[in-house]
Amino acid sequence: MDRTSKVKMVTAATALGMFGAAAAIAQDKYALRTPSGIAFSDFKGYEDWAVISSARTDEVLKVIVGNSVIVKAYKAGIPGNGRPFPEGSKLVKLQWKPKKSTEAPFVVDVPDVFSQAFVMEKNSARFPTTGGWGYALFNYETASDKFTADPSPADCGHACHVAVKGKDYIFHPYQKR
Amino acid sequence: MDRTSKVKMVTAATALGMFGAAAAIAQDKYALRTPSGIAFSDFKGYEDWAVISSARTDEVLKVIVGNSVIVKAYKAGIPGNGRPFPEGSKLVKLQWKPKKSTEAPFVVDVPDVFSQAFVMEKNSARFPTTGGWGYALFNYETASDKFTADPSPADCGHACHVAVKGKDYIFHPYQKR
C-alpha cells in the first residue's frame, strides 16, 4: 500500500467515524418498526398534524393529533353518523410528562419532557383481527434524544379500545374549537 | 293588494324567518372583533393548525396551536437563538373544561366543553406598546353554540406575558414530539 492509499483509507475511516457520530446525534426515528410490523414512518409528518382532542392523567399531558384523512372524516360526522373511519385514518397521541410552571403567574402544569407517541392506523387488510386498527407505541428518552419501538403488545391497544367498538374503537370525539 | 301579492309577501316573510333561524344556528364566528380591534378572522383556519404545546389547570385543558409562520420560526430556533418571532406569527390557545372519562379503563381527564380561544398575533405596527403582540379572548358557550369577543382587556395578556419578555413574550417552547 502506498502512502496515498493509506491517507485515503484514514480519511475514509475518519469520515465514517464522523458520520457515525452524527448518526448518534440525529436519529432517524422513522426507520423504527415495532416487532408487530408497524413502521413509525407510516405516521411521517405527524409533528404538524391537526388537533383532535386532549387529555391528562397525573402522569402525562396528552394531545391527540390526526392526519388529513381522519380529520376530514370527523368533520363529516364519523363516527357519530354510524359510519366507520376510512382506510388510511391515522392518529398519534403525543404524551409529555408534566411539571409545574415556574414562570406563569398562576398554578399550571406544562410539559416537562416528551415520553411517548402512541399511534393508531386503520388498515383492514393488515389488521383484520383488531377491528381494522393497528396500534403501536414509540417511547422517547430525553437523555439519549432517541425514540425506541416498544416491543411489548401495544400499551392499551385493542384490549382497551374494544370498549368503544361502537365508535369504531376511538375514544375521543373531534373536539369543538 | 291582490291575492298573488299577498302570497308573495307571505312567502318572502317565511323565507326571511327561515333565514333568521338558520343564522341563529350557524354563527359566523369570524365576524367577531374585540373592542380593542382584534378580529377573530385574523386567526382563520386555526382549527387545523399544528400543536406548539399543552397545559392544564384544575379548570381547563389547554392545547396551544400556531400558524405556519410561528411553527417555522420555532423550528428555526426562535426564541432560544435570541431572535424575535417574525411579523405575522399567530398563536391560539384552545381551552376546554375537563371531565373525568366514563369510558377509559383508567382515570383520565378529557374535554367536556370548549370554553375559550385565547389568541395572540405579532404585528409591531399595530401593537407597538405591548412588545408587538396583540392579545384577545373569544369565549364560547355550548348552550347557544356561540362565540363572543371578550370585552375586557385580554385575560392575562401583556400584563402576564411581560414576565417572559426575554423569550419574546411567549411562555411555551415548541414541544418535542
Side-chain angles (χ1 to χ4, degrees):
Chain A
M1 193 180 286
D2 63 15
R3 194 178 170 280
T4 308
S5 297
K6 278 185 186 164
V7 169
K8 277 183 184 164
M9 279 185 68
V10 169
T11 307
T14 306
L16 276 171
M18 287 170 70
F19 180 78
I25 291 164
Q27 177 197 30
D28 177 15
K29 69 183 177 188
Y30 284 129
L32 294 172
R33 181 180 288 269
T34 64
S36 64
I38 294 183
F40 206 175
S41 61
D42 285 356
F43 302 86
K44 204 156 193 167
Y46 72 87
E47 297 90 343
D48 298 311
W49 286 357
V51 176
I52 303 295
S53 186
S54 182
R56 59 82 52 174
T57 65
D58 286 345
E59 292 77 32
V60 282
L61 288 172
K62 313 180 187 201
V63 176
I64 299 160
V65 298
N67 71 347
S68 60
V69 175
I70 198 166
V71 168
K72 189 179 169 189
Y74 268 123
K75 289 180 178 177
I78 293 171
N81 61 11
R83 298 185 56 201
F85 288 102
E87 299 298 311
S89 290
K90 295 176 185 181
L91 285 176
V92 178
K93 186 159 63 181
L94 310 169
Q95 303 198 147
W96 294 275
K97 291 179 186 166
K99 66 178 179 184
K100 295 285 174 202
S101 171
T102 55
E103 299 174 316
F106 49 87
V107 177
V108 58
D109 290 334
V110 295
D112 182 9
V113 292
F114 189 67
S115 61
Q116 294 180 320
F118 170 82
V119 303
M120 288 181 71
E121 59 178 319
K122 182 81 171 275
N123 187 319
S124 300
R126 283 176 64 197
F127 313 110
T129 62
T130 49
W133 290 98
Y135 299 84
L137 191 60
F138 295 92
N139 298 310
Y140 177 73
E141 284 288 337
T142 303
S144 61
D145 189 25
K146 278 188 176 153
F147 284 84
T148 50
D150 199 308
S152 68
D155 172 51
C156 193
H158 183 66
C160 279
H161 285 249
V162 75
V164 285
K165 184 180 175 182
K167 299 194 289 182
D168 199 13
Y169 303 92
I170 306 289
F171 284 98
H172 286 254
Y174 181 83
Q175 298 295 345
K176 177 78 187 178
R177 67 208 57 189
Chain B
M1 193 181 287
D2 63 14
R3 190 174 175 283
T4 308
S5 296
K6 277 186 188 162
V7 168
K8 276 183 185 165
M9 277 187 70
V10 169
T11 305
T14 305
L16 275 169
M18 287 171 70
F19 181 77
I25 290 164
Q27 177 197 31
D28 176 15
K29 68 182 177 187
Y30 284 129
L32 294 172
R33 180 181 289 269
T34 63
S36 64
I38 294 183
F40 206 177
S41 61
D42 287 355
F43 302 86
K44 203 155 194 167
Y46 73 87
E47 297 90 342
D48 297 312
W49 287 357
V51 177
I52 304 295
S53 187
S54 182
R56 59 84 49 175
T57 65
D58 285 346
E59 292 76 32
V60 281
L61 289 172
K62 312 180 188 201
V63 176
I64 299 160
V65 298
N67 71 347
S68 60
V69 175
I70 199 165
V71 168
K72 189 179 169 189
Y74 268 123
K75 288 179 178 177
I78 293 171
N81 62 10
R83 297 186 56 202
F85 288 103
E87 300 296 313
S89 290
K90 296 175 185 182
L91 284 177
V92 178
K93 187 159 63 181
L94 310 169
Q95 304 198 144
W96 294 277
K97 291 180 186 166
K99 65 178 179 184
K100 296 285 175 203
S101 171
T102 55
E103 299 175 317
F106 50 88
V107 177
V108 57
D109 291 333
V110 295
D112 183 9
V113 293
F114 188 66
S115 61
Q116 294 180 319
F118 170 82
V119 304
M120 288 181 69
E121 59 179 320
K122 182 80 171 276
N123 186 320
S124 299
R126 284 176 63 197
F127 313 110
T129 63
T130 49
W133 290 98
Y135 301 84
L137 192 61
F138 295 92
N139 299 309
Y140 177 74
E141 284 288 338
T142 303
S144 59
D145 189 24
K146 279 190 176 151
F147 284 85
T148 50
D150 198 307
S152 68
D155 172 50
C156 194
H158 182 67
C160 279
H161 285 248
V162 74
V164 287
K165 185 181 175 182
K167 299 194 290 182
D168 198 14
Y169 302 92
I170 307 287
F171 283 98
H172 285 256
Y174 181 82
Q175 297 294 345
K176 177 79 186 179
R177 71 213 49 195

